[in-house]
Structures are given as C-alpha cells and as structure tokens.
Amino acid sequence: MSRSGLPQSLASTLSALANHPGGGTVILGLDEATGLRPVQLPDPHALKQGLAHKARSFSPPVQLTISEAEVDGVTVIVAKVHGCDPSAKPCRITASGTAYVRGSTGTSHCQIWKSRAFLAARKPPLFDRRPVTGATREDLDDDLVPAFLRSVRERDPTRDGATRLRCLGGSEYGASPTSNGN
C-alpha cells in the first residue's frame, strides 16, 4: 500500500486491464494473503477519489466505473476498468510512458512487439463521419469549401470526384455534411 492507501501495483494493473479486451475489475478491500477475506478500509470515499485521480494519469485516461459493495458486512471498492478503445492502445502511464498487458501469468511490461501490434491495429475513429441531421450543402460556408477541397486534393491528389464528395459528407446519391467533413 502507498501513502494514498492504494496498492503500489495499481498503476500497472490499470494499464494492463485497459489494454486487455473487455477490461477487467479491481476490488479494493479484499486481502489476497488471507484468501480474499475482506478488510476494513480506512476511508472508502478517499480511496474512490484516489482511484479516479490515478485513472487520469494515463494516456489515454483509464475509464472506470467505481462503486461500493459489501462482502461479509464489510465495504469494499469495486472499480470496473473499461477496455481502452483499440484506436488509442496501448494505454500508457503518462509519467513514464510504460504500458502493461495482462497474460496468463499476470501483469507484465508491454513488449515492443505488442506495442507495435497495438499501433498497427489502430484505425481512425469514424464517429464524426455521420451526417449532421438536417444539415444541407447550403449550411456550409461558401468561402471555406473551396479551401477545404484544395487541402484534400493536396493531401491525396489521387482521390477521385466520388471520394472528394464523401469528404464533404456526401455520396453519389445525395449529400449531407458531417461534423468533420470526411
């Protein structure tokens, strides 16, 4: 345990679970040395705050759902660690740049080949390609559209007209602007 009352291994565990498909769960207040018997937590509220603070010390930040539960009449803290979006993996401790993974033998440093596999699997996010409801071509700024199209052509001169139309959020069958123009 550290001075904050959180386990020393918490950072590596949070990184590993965030990098694990589906995430995982951390339970504070069960003692592994005594067969997972509950122990009295000195200040559950402070531990929950400490968990939330610790989650922000990662790149990207670890997403947690924190709750309390009772085991044999004793309060424990349950933190559901949500798996990191594949487009943002590996989840690293910001201060050190270190990433961890979870395997059959527990938590370990993320090897370079695994980091490269995470990076190779990244795909651009697509959430901002959805059409803006009710928007039409007339909603676009006539002064900015030509400059945007020029930048698309400069980045990739091989794009055809249909691809350029999709960059404006349209298709061959109709156009509706998107929030990012892709």
Side-chain angles (χ1 to χ4, degrees):
M1 290 282 211
S2 67
R3 284 182 290 169
S4 67
L6 297 171
Q8 294 285 354
S9 63
L10 183 63
S12 60
T13 300
L14 290 177
S15 171
L17 292 176
N19 286 322
H20 190 72
T25 303
V26 172
I27 302 174
L28 301 177
L30 297 179
D31 185 2
E32 290 181 64
T34 63
L36 300 178
R37 289 204 162 90
V39 294
Q40 192 68 43
L41 296 173
D43 188 350
H45 181 72
L47 288 174
K48 289 192 288 187
Q49 287 181 323
L51 269 169
H53 177 74
K54 179 67 84 175
R56 292 188 294 273
S57 66
F58 294 84
S59 296
V62 173
Q63 301 297 310
L64 299 176
T65 301
I66 303 171
S67 61
E68 291 183 9
E70 278 198 19
V71 176
D72 297 336
V74 178
T75 299
V76 296
I77 306 298
V78 179
K80 166 66 178 136
V81 181
H82 300 276
C84 187
D85 186 291
S87 68
K89 287 182 181 180
C91 177
R92 300 178 181 278
I93 300 169
T94 303
S96 67
T98 306
Y100 292 86
V101 292
R102 195 86 172 161
S104 59
T105 59
T107 298
S108 60
H109 283 281
C110 184
Q111 300 295 320
I112 190 79
W113 65 267
K114 183 66 174 175
S115 284
R116 288 181 180 151
F118 281 139
L119 295 174
R122 285 185 175 182
K123 292 183 173 76
L126 302 176
F127 66 89
D128 54 356
R129 292 188 181 187
R130 286 186 297 244
V132 175
T133 305
T136 66
R137 169 63 179 92
E138 288 72 37
D139 293 315
L140 299 176
D141 186 319
D142 288 330
D143 295 329
L144 295 178
V145 170
F148 176 74
L149 287 175
R150 240 186 337 275
S151 74
V152 169
R153 285 185 200 107
E154 288 169 4
R155 277 186 310 216
D156 187 357
T158 63
R159 289 187 183 200
D160 61 11
T163 303
R164 289 188 192 119
L165 182 59
R166 280 193 302 279
C167 286
L168 285 173
S171 71
E172 293 85 342
Y173 310 107
S176 182
T178 64
S179 59
N180 85 337
N182 279 323

